């Protein structure tokens, strides 16, 4: 089986015009990394495509800056050296995300699990074009 691709989904960008912005992903808010401040001033609010690599979701909070996301376990696949977890995020219609976790990770299908997102690694894309939003750093 091939590794899961980047998780992509439409989310709402809520910016204050001064560079402070959050992404609304269902009932969760994700603070944007500083590198996106300029792009957010140019695009005050609206829909963007959020890209999260499966390896940037973690089962344990190892960095206090990581942000929690919670969802319902849809599938779990043990692949020997790693486990692929698929979650449905509440409030995001029919959107599932895949995470690459440690080989010993276990969770029951249907249970609610929390993961931690390293938001410094997210990517944002313009929903009208295939272009990535500019990011400094």
């Amino acid at each position: 089986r091939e590794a899961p691709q980047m998780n992509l989904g439409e989310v709402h960008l809520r910016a204050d015009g001064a560079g402070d912005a959050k992404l609304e992903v269902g009932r969760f808010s994700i603070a944007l990394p500083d590198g996106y401040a300029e792009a957010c001033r140019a695009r005050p609010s609206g829909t963007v495509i959020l890209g999260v690599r499966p390896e940037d979701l973690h089962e344990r909070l190892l960095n206090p800056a990581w942000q929690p996301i919670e969802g319902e376990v849809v599938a779990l696949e043990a692949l020997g050296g790693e486990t692929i977890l698929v979650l449905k995020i509440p409030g995001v219609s029919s959107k599932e995300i895949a995470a690459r976790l440690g080989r010993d990770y276990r969770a029951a299908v249907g249970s609610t699990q929390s993961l931690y997102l390293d938001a410094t690694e997210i990517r944002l894309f313009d929903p009208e074009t295939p272009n990535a939003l500019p990011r400094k750093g």
Side-chain angles (χ1 to χ4, degrees), residues 3 5 12 16 28-29 36 38-39 55 58 67 71 74 79-80 85 87 105 127 133 136:
Q5 298 179 355
H12 188 76
D16 65 7
F28 300 99
S29 268
Y36 279 116
E38 193 171 312
E55 55 272 17
H58 305 275
Q67 299 178 51
V74 175
L79 299 177
L85 173 69
L87 288 181
Y105 185 86
L133 296 183
K136 296 197 181 225

Side-chain angles (χ1 to χ4, degrees), residues 1-5 7 53-55 57 59 73-87 96-107 109 115:
R1 177 169 162 94
E2 63 185 64
Q5 298 179 355
N7 297 293
R53 290 185 187 92
E55 55 272 17
L57 292 160
E59 60 195 273
V73 176
V74 175
L76 192 72
E77 185 174 3
L79 299 177
E82 65 185 6
T83 299
I84 305 299
L85 173 69
V86 180
L87 288 181
E96 297 172 351
I97 61 168
R100 294 174 73 174
L101 304 175
R103 66 184 297 163
D104 297 325
Y105 185 86
R106 298 289 178 266
V109 171
L115 294 178

Side-chain angles (χ1 to χ4, degrees), residues 22 28 114 119:
K22 291 189 179 293
F28 300 99
S114 293

